[in-house]
Amino acid sequence: MSAGKIKQVAAAVPPWVTLVVLQPFLKPVLPNATSLLKGPPSPNPSLLAVQLYFLMSRTHPEEVAYRSEVRTRGNGTTWSKGNCLTKEELLPGEGLDSLSVAQHMNIHGIFEHFVADTVRCLETEARLQGAGLPTEVHFIRLEYLWPRIQAPPDVIELVESVLRKPPSKNRQMSKAKQQALAQFLAELHAGEGFFALVDIDANAAKEELGRCVAAKVAQIHGSLRVHTPNLSCPAPA
């Protein structure tokens, strides 16, 4: 949940209500890998796995069926609610080995949407520091809420150099890179290669959620209205 959404909720509930927010966080991996964002090198390139996981989710048949229906209904639906990737939108046409400009632009737009959403989500707690909310907000930091993987450097390079840029900035893309991108997206659609390794450990996520929620509830009841740091939930002994 974004900082803006939490501000809206906090303003709409009575001041005696305590809000508890599930906050994903990612431990740093591959500290020397290429930055996924503009500016200095990212301290947490594993964020790429999360963004690609969400991109892959837009190819699942259930998601495609639902969001395609949303597209046809219209009625002022936002673009983000209708974005999905059908096989025809994701893969090169029959007999071709590279994407069309329209395909590339669509995939780029959806991926950039996930990049912005995931970064905004990770910044939620920091953005609320000193916000003077009318009600108390507690964060439960969860490590297993998002997929965990050490992304191979060649995938990072491909995503940075191709998916993060619109077609207008990839006019000089080599044939080999075009084919590599098409192969990468074919693996995304089939859940193979890199994408066979990107997943959420459901059992670990459930265990962590139960343990951390119980610890946070005990903390809130034991120190009502007393500020305590929102530290990561300790692992079981």
Side-chain angles (χ1 to χ4, degrees):
M1 182 179 288
S2 68
K5 290 288 186 183
I6 292 176
K7 288 180 180 179
Q8 291 177 10
V9 173
V13 300
W16 47 264
V17 170
T18 296
L19 299 180
V20 177
V21 180
L22 303 183
Q23 176 69 49
F25 82 99
L26 298 167
K27 286 185 176 179
V29 296
L30 300 177
N32 298 320
T34 307
S35 171
L36 293 178
L37 307 172
K38 294 179 181 178
S42 169
N44 206 347
S46 59
L47 183 58
L48 172 64
V50 177
Q51 294 159 347
L52 291 175
Y53 183 86
F54 290 146
L55 184 66
M56 181 173 63
S57 75
R58 288 297 192 264
T59 70
H60 294 170
E62 297 82 359
E63 284 284 337
V64 170
Y66 168 73
R67 293 178 184 277
S68 296
E69 182 182 353
V70 170
R71 285 182 187 178
T72 60
R73 289 202 306 264
N75 298 328
T77 299
T78 62
W79 172 83
S80 63
K81 289 184 178 179
N83 66 26
C84 61
L85 290 168
T86 65
K87 184 176 181 180
E88 293 71 27
E89 292 170 330
L90 185 67
L91 304 179
E94 187 174 352
L96 302 177
D97 58 5
S98 60
L99 301 175
S100 69
V101 172
Q103 285 177 309
H104 189 165
M105 180 60 78
N106 185 44
I107 296 168
H108 161 73
I110 293 176
F111 188 68
E112 284 291 276
H113 175 73
F114 288 137
V115 168
D117 270 2
T118 51
V119 171
R120 188 162 50 243
C121 181
L122 290 174
E123 294 176 346
T124 295
E125 187 175 351
R127 286 176 178 269
L128 291 175
Q129 294 296 323
L133 298 177
T135 188
E136 191 173 6
V137 179
H138 287 260
F139 289 86
I140 299 179
R141 295 177 181 171
L142 299 172
E143 182 181 350
Y144 291 89
L145 196 62
W146 280 354
R148 295 151 46 87
I149 195 172
Q150 295 191 7
D154 58 334
V155 176
I156 292 177
E157 181 181 353
L158 179 64
V159 170
E160 277 209 312
S161 61
V162 181
L163 288 186
R164 292 289 321 266
K165 296 179 182 178
S168 60
K169 294 187 178 181
N170 272 303
R171 291 174 180 170
Q172 305 302 318
M173 187 164 59
S174 68
K175 190 70 173 179
K177 187 170 286 189
Q178 292 181 43
Q179 293 173 342
L181 174 61
Q183 176 61 35
F184 179 73
L185 294 174
E187 292 178 353
L188 181 150
H189 185 264
E192 299 174 347
F194 169 81
F195 297 96
L197 304 175
V198 183
D199 201 3
I200 293 176
D201 188 333
N203 291 330
K206 290 177 183 177
E207 187 279 330
E208 180 186 45
L209 180 61
R211 171 168 44 84
C212 292
V213 167
K216 180 59 69 176
V217 169
Q219 174 191 338
I220 293 172
H221 280 286
S223 56
L224 289 177
R225 308 302 299 178
V226 176
H227 173 74
T228 55
N230 284 304
L231 302 177
S232 303
C233 180

